[in-house]
Amino acid sequence: MLSQPDPSPLSRRGFLAASAAAGTLLGLAAGPGRASTRPRPFGRYGSPAARRDPRTLYVHPDGAGDFTTVRDAVAAAVGSGHTLVIAPGVYRQTVAVDPGRTEMTWIGASEDPCDVVIVYDNAAGTPKPGGGTHGTTGSATTTVQADGFTARWITFANDWLRADHPGTTGTQAVALKVQGDRSAFHHCRFLGHQDTLYADSMALGTFARQYFSHCYAEGDVDFVFGRATAVFDRCHFRTLSRTDLAGAPYGFVFAPSTAGANPLGYLVTRSRVSSEAPDGYYKLARPWVPSSDTTARPMLTVRDTRLGPGIDAVAPYANMSDSHPWQNQRFAEYRNTGPGAVVHVPGNRPQLSRAQARAHTRRAYLGDWRPYA
């Protein structure tokens, strides 16, 4: 397995603490003080006075760009092929990229994902102004439905916390829901607790390809989930501690819901899973067969990846519903390392052969789309 750097020196909780210490809480509308003091807030990507091209828009929380919010910049980027260069700051808002805004690129101008944070705090059980609640999809801080979307050096976060809402039962709180085909995320962070990263598609019969490279995702319950064909390459997944539970399991890293007709689901390769929870308190995955698609056959392959001691090595998989046991789904591993990868019960750790593993590569999953080239 290739060694890899930690792309996230500050976890979600560390980010909150650091922001508070600096006097810049996530609840404030303005970004960190350093955003307005940098002489070149857009780094090497130009500025409104030296625009790279007419379809490049600049976002700055204190007014040095074309827009002060990401949401307004997206609204102005009508059609295809726009680039948003986003200056350092904390952008507290929800953002949606609809299907018509194709081939859009977001760039964190400092090239450090800790500097550009898009965050909000809706949960599935949060009441909506017009009545009802948001539901899981509606809880997303950022929703991307357009094909050809690319993000670099951005943090997508949902800072809704169970402890602050003890009476809420809908505790899913999505940081990013991405549904478009050819969606790529490089050096990004996804911070939340339950249902952090929703890697999905626009419709049951649509097989959306997504690529996550050198990214960091953290959470506790099913925090990477959905039905996309998604490749996680050299990523870091971190499971969080919980004070609301007395014992294991605390949660599950992956919960794929791959359509039965889709031959390819989630592929995790050359990555690692770490934990701040006690050893063995997390399952690697459980299958999600939603009520809207009872023919789903979730698929997850984890290969060439280090599984830390937080993963229950004896029984790394569990059922979400006894009607759909994980053994009937498409779960497999290949050449993993670490204490969480030790095979104690062979029947609980389905392994690919070398020949089978050749069909589980990023090229096989993504086809003629090469976001890694």
Side-chain angles (χ1 to χ4, degrees):
M1 183 185 73
L2 297 179
S3 62
Q4 57 181 302
D6 183 350
S8 176
L10 281 179
S11 72
R12 177 172 177 272
R13 291 178 177 178
F15 175 83
L16 289 168
S19 297
T24 307
L25 296 174
L26 286 179
L28 298 179
R34 60 184 175 178
S36 60
T37 59
R38 289 187 176 186
R40 296 180 60 198
F42 301 109
R44 60 189 177 95
Y45 297 98
S47 68
R51 200 176 302 275
R52 298 177 78 191
D53 59 65
R55 303 186 81 77
T56 299
L57 303 175
Y58 295 87
V59 184
H60 189 285
D62 296 332
D66 300 307
F67 303 94
T68 58
T69 71
V70 178
R71 182 193 303 174
D72 287 347
V74 170
V78 178
S80 182
H82 284 84
T83 296
L84 271 56
V85 180
I86 308 173
V90 176
Y91 299 87
R92 175 165 283 278
Q93 58 199 246
T94 58
V95 186
V97 181
D98 64 53
R101 289 171 164 79
T102 58
E103 312 303 328
M104 180 177 282
T105 298
W106 293 4
I107 298 173
S110 70
E111 302 185 9
D112 182 342
C114 295
D115 288 342
V116 177
V117 181
I118 303 171
V119 60
Y120 209 71
D121 61 349
N122 282 330
T126 301
K128 293 193 296 184
T133 56
H134 283 284
T136 299
T137 290
S139 75
T141 298
T142 302
T143 303
V144 177
Q145 297 181 320
D147 291 343
F149 180 87
T150 299
R152 299 179 183 273
W153 305 296
I154 307 283
T155 291
F156 300 89
N158 190 317
D159 62 354
W160 188 92
L161 296 173
R162 297 184 190 93
D164 296 339
H165 305 273
T168 300
T169 56
T171 57
Q172 301 89 343
V174 178
L176 171 72
K177 180 171 183 176
V178 55
Q179 298 173 276
D181 185 39
R182 295 179 293 104
S183 300
F185 297 82
H186 304 273
H187 300 277
C188 290
R189 301 193 304 164
F190 309 98
L191 310 184
H193 280 267
Q194 183 172 352
D195 291 7
T196 305
L197 173 56
Y198 197 169
D200 205 49
S201 70
M202 285 294 290
L204 180 59
T206 302
F207 304 154
R209 294 165 296 173
Q210 299 167 8
Y211 181 64
F212 300 83
S213 170
H214 296 90
C215 290
Y216 172 90
E218 70 178 25
D220 47 40
V221 179
D222 306 330
F223 65 92
V224 181
F225 73 113
R227 67 176 172 232
T229 294
V231 174
F232 301 90
D233 187 11
R234 297 183 180 94
C235 291
H236 179 189
F237 305 92
R238 185 161 180 82
T239 59
L240 301 177
S241 188
R242 296 183 64 173
T243 58
D244 59 317
L245 294 180
Y250 276 177
F252 315 84
V253 182
F254 302 100
S257 58
T258 321
N262 190 349
L264 300 168
Y266 284 1
L267 171 66
V268 179
T269 180
R270 297 181 291 184
S271 296
R272 63 186 174 115
V273 178
S274 66
S275 182
E276 65 177 45
D279 291 358
Y281 267 50
Y282 272 88
K283 305 291 187 181
L284 184 60
R286 62 178 179 173
W288 176 31
V289 179
S291 59
S292 59
D293 178 23
T294 57
T295 65
R297 195 157 174 251
M299 181 177 183
L300 168 71
T301 298
V302 181
R303 61 171 297 169
D304 300 299
T305 289
R306 187 182 193 280
L307 306 180
I311 297 299
D312 178 358
V314 175
Y317 305 106
N319 298 336
M320 187 176 293
S321 166
D322 289 341
S323 300
H324 305 284
W326 73 264
Q327 294 90 342
N328 292 350
Q329 313 310 321
R330 294 175 284 178
F331 285 2
E333 302 177 49
Y334 180 69
R335 222 164 48 182
N336 294 323
T337 60
V342 175
V343 179
H344 294 280
V345 181
N348 289 345
R349 309 297 299 252
Q351 303 289 315
L352 297 175
S353 67
R354 181 180 296 182
Q356 290 171 327
R358 296 191 189 104
H360 296 271
T361 64
R362 62 185 185 181
R363 183 170 183 175
Y365 276 55
L366 302 179
D368 59 357
W369 178 49
R370 305 287 177 83
Y372 48 84

